[in-house]
Amino acid sequence: MSNELHLNRRHLLLGSSAGAAALALGACSRTDGGGDGGLLEKAQDGGKLRVAYADEAPYAYTADDGTVTGQSVDTQVYLLDQLGIKADQIEWKLTEWDSLITGLGTNHDMVIAGMYITPERCEAVAFANPDYVMPDALMTLAGNPGGYTDFNTMADTDGVIGVMNGTSEHEIADKTYGEDRINVQANLDSLILELKAGRCDAIALTSANLRLAAESDPEVEVTEGFWLIDPDSGEDIIGAGAAVFQPSDSDFRDAVDGELDKLLADDAKWEELTSPYGFTLDENHPEGLTAEDLCPDTYQ
């Protein structure tokens, strides 16, 4: 990832009121759940914690041996352990993506899926602060014959962009590329076939997804990361993922945030937890970004 991208994100944070504020002090390892027998208190007393995930690598997915793993899983399980909640208390609930939010409180108590924080989602749930950020990237044929570097400048060429149906890349492409320059497919495997067949010139998706796909495919390569730009506001669109709670469990969310503050201040430990999944300090560390930064009007 370029220094320019890194500085752009830092500039965005320093320009926001929440980002400029000092982080709250970390919570103690044993947190009072308010004395009302809430979810946090019950979990710290040894109760089961139902946690939903959606089987999406590298964030949260089922490994070949049947265990649940991923960057978000390892990070959040570590944070829960710091609060005295052990891994064997977690009851993992494989859940369809569309049911991760609607199932809170019925099917599950918490979501660990690397879910991006958005103002619309913040209206319904209580997000913890981000434990990672994830820029987009482009996948091209090996050698990058078109010389494309990012989604935004590619829009000024005659190149055809490949996007997955319903993604933010699809939404932004509809606003910035002509209809005849957008190749929409249902999944990344189909997009890669289109790229190799010459029916699109580059694929836009999150850098983690593209790099995983490119690891064993010498016919393609992936650019450095970049932020999508909102064509309406001209601002960077920051993709940042976090754990999700019901608003009534905001004390639990706050306790997790306290431990997350400590983790994010410890670069070595953060990297130990995330680097096995291809995350790096330069590209994926959230640098004090908060959920409130991303949802200034809907944060709860």
Side-chain angles (χ1 to χ4, degrees), residues 60-145:
Y61 60 97
T62 307
D64 291 340
D65 63 2
T67 59
V68 182
T69 189
Q71 173 272 335
S72 297
V73 170
D74 287 8
T75 298
Q76 294 297 327
V77 168
Y78 170 81
L79 297 176
L80 292 173
D81 184 74
Q82 300 307 295
L83 291 169
I85 302 165
K86 304 305 178 183
D88 60 7
Q89 294 175 239
I90 298 174
E91 180 183 346
W92 293 104
K93 310 279 281 187
L94 180 58
T95 304
E96 292 293 327
W97 183 266
D98 289 347
S99 298
L100 290 175
I101 287 180
T102 59
L104 267 171
T106 53
N107 179 69
H108 48 272
D109 307 306
M110 178 182 179
V111 176
I112 296 177
M115 180 176 283
Y116 277 7
I117 302 167
T118 68
E120 295 77 17
R121 290 172 180 163
C122 284
E123 291 179 353
V125 299
F127 274 101
N129 287 330
D131 54 72
Y132 77 92
V133 292
M134 182 60 64
D136 270 53
L138 296 179
M139 175 183 282
T140 68
L141 293 177
N144 193 356

Side-chain angles (χ1 to χ4, degrees), residues 129-235:
N129 287 330
D131 54 72
Y132 77 92
V133 292
M134 182 60 64
D136 270 53
L138 296 179
M139 175 183 282
T140 68
L141 293 177
N144 193 356
Y148 303 115
T149 58
D150 63 79
F151 181 96
N152 311 302
T153 59
M154 184 177 170
D156 296 327
T157 73
D158 59 1
V160 175
I161 191 71
V163 295
M164 279 176 53
N165 187 35
T167 60
S168 56
E169 294 82 11
H170 184 188
E171 179 182 348
I172 301 301
D174 280 343
K175 298 179 179 180
T176 54
Y177 287 70
E179 184 177 351
D180 60 342
R181 293 180 52 219
I182 305 172
N183 186 328
V184 183
Q185 299 294 324
N187 54 57
L188 179 55
D189 288 342
S190 297
L191 284 170
I192 292 174
L193 291 175
E194 293 293 288
L195 177 67
K196 292 180 178 180
R199 289 187 286 269
C200 67
D201 299 299
I203 298 166
L205 199 62
T206 67
S207 59
N209 296 94
L210 293 180
R211 285 172 186 161
L212 276 176
E215 280 181 357
S216 58
D217 191 340
E219 295 183 57
V220 300
E221 66 180 59
V222 178
T223 67
E224 290 190 355
F226 55 84
W227 304 119
L228 293 175
I229 295 176
D230 186 332
D232 298 322
S233 67
E235 295 181 353

Side-chain angles (χ1 to χ4, degrees), residues 281-299:
L281 282 169
D282 182 55
E283 185 164 277
N284 305 113
H285 191 286
E287 295 189 81
L289 181 67
T290 70
E292 191 169 4
D293 288 331
L294 299 169
C295 300
D297 299 320
T298 56
Y299 176 78

